Amino acid sequence: MTALPSPRTDADPHQRYRHATALYGADIARFAIGYERDAARRQELLQEIHVALWQSFAGYKEQCSLRTWVYRIAHNVSVTHIQRSLKTVERIHLDDGEADEVVDEQSAIDITERRLDLQRLLALIHRLAPLDRQIMLLYLEDLDAAGIGDITGISARNVATKIHRIKALLAKQIDIGSKP
Amino acid sequence: MNEQDLKQLWKSQPAAAPQFPEAQLRRRAQSLRRRVALRNCIEYAAGVAVVAGFAYFIRAYRHPLMQIGSALIILATAIVLQQLHRRAASRSLPGADAAITSRDFLRAELLRQRDALRAVWRWYVAPFVPGVVVFRWGVETQMAGVGPFAHGVLANALIAAVLLAIVALNWRMAGKLQKEIDQLDRDPT
């Protein structure tokens, strides 16, 4: 990621917003994909996240890192979005055995293996309970356990346990680790 | 596929990073506020319709029980509208308050929704019960089978069933939220 000069602490909120989206805009867009599969509703969610982010910078006094601030808002607005959804989807938790049986529906579709893997991954993500989903998305963004803990409020040790479960789940669903 | 391949796969998906101009964000924030205002207006309009309907009954049917029942239902409608206004006013658009840790945010949201659903019987259903009972009493005893109101045990049972169903449905949804809260509390932090 290209390092952009950080605005001064007394910079106006919109300048901070621009800076934050320049750095983390793509991450936010991927989070939205992880929370909403419908393209039109995803666009709505994305706008909601950006509005919340834009409004939030009036209260940002560097209580945490910029990334933590942006990620927390993106995830919290997304969680509100899925909670509001009328569809009552039975969510799975990483602790449940049922997580093993979720994704195996796309095999007949003639698409590339890479695309299929992404579809499987998204199908799995969309079935996870909100906090587990967040940990999985942050894991995929390559954050370490401490960084994930900072955003979620879960201790790094327990994040590490959950990541271990995520890996086990991915190994079963997407063949992770089976190929060099 | 190894772990890094998977993360690479996730990051390589086409995800445009939009930069919304300030004017658009302002418009969007206003549009979200307008949407909330419109929903409130629809609720108030429904309340006004109920008030108008029962005010008409007070004038049209000169039976004391039906008039008292109608007045009580109008009062109940006013209580419910006041509650809707209070509850809508306490919800604002997210901003800096959405920057707390995700676990705290999620738990607070679940608690808020659970409590709102559990309280439905108290602020949404219970205020109507006295008015409905007195009104139905008037219909059964003073209308002598005429007028546009259904009579008999079946009609009364149906009304009671609808009110009970509203309460039961909300309790059921509150129960589901409680399970999510329990699950969250079981997870070590």
Side-chain angles (χ1 to χ4, degrees), chain A residues 120-149:
Chain A
R120 283 188 180 131
L121 180 62
L122 278 171
L124 176 61
I125 289 168
H126 286 142
R127 290 294 310 277
L128 286 174
L131 211 52
D132 292 340
R133 187 184 313 201
Q134 179 170 6
I135 290 169
M136 181 142 181
L137 290 172
L138 294 170
Y139 161 75
L140 290 171
E141 290 293 333
D142 217 8
L143 267 71
D144 61 12
I148 295 174

Side-chain angles (χ1 to χ4, degrees), chain B residues 121 124-126 128-129 132 157-169:
Chain B
W121 72 271
Y124 194 83
V125 174
F128 284 105
V129 170
V132 169
L158 194 65
I159 291 166
V162 168
L163 293 177
L164 287 173
I166 292 171
V167 174
L169 194 65

Side-chain angles (χ1 to χ4, degrees), chain A residues 47 76 134 139 152 158 177, chain B residues 1 3 28 98 102-103 189:
Chain A
Q47 284 197 24
N76 289 342
Q134 179 170 6
Y139 161 75
T152 56
N158 287 312
Chain B
M1 183 185 289
E3 204 181 316
R28 177 68 182 164
S102 311
R103 189 183 181 283
T189 51

Side-chain angles (χ1 to χ4, degrees), chain B residues 63 65-66 134-145 151:
Chain B
H63 304 298
L65 284 175
M66 288 183 68
V134 174
F135 188 86
R136 293 301 304 172
W137 186 11
V139 168
E140 294 295 338
T141 59
Q142 297 177 332
M143 293 282 298
H151 288 258

Side-chain angles (χ1 to χ4, degrees), chain A residues 28 31-32 34-36 45 48-49 72-84 133 137, chain B residues 105:
Chain A
I28 295 172
F31 291 149
Y35 279 101
E36 179 58 65
L45 169 61
E48 273 185 54
I49 294 171
R72 278 181 184 169
I73 287 181
H75 282 282
N76 289 342
V77 171
S78 301
V79 163
T80 307
H81 174 84
I82 58 171
Q83 290 275 325
R84 211 167 42 214
R133 187 184 313 201
L137 290 172
Chain B
F105 184 88

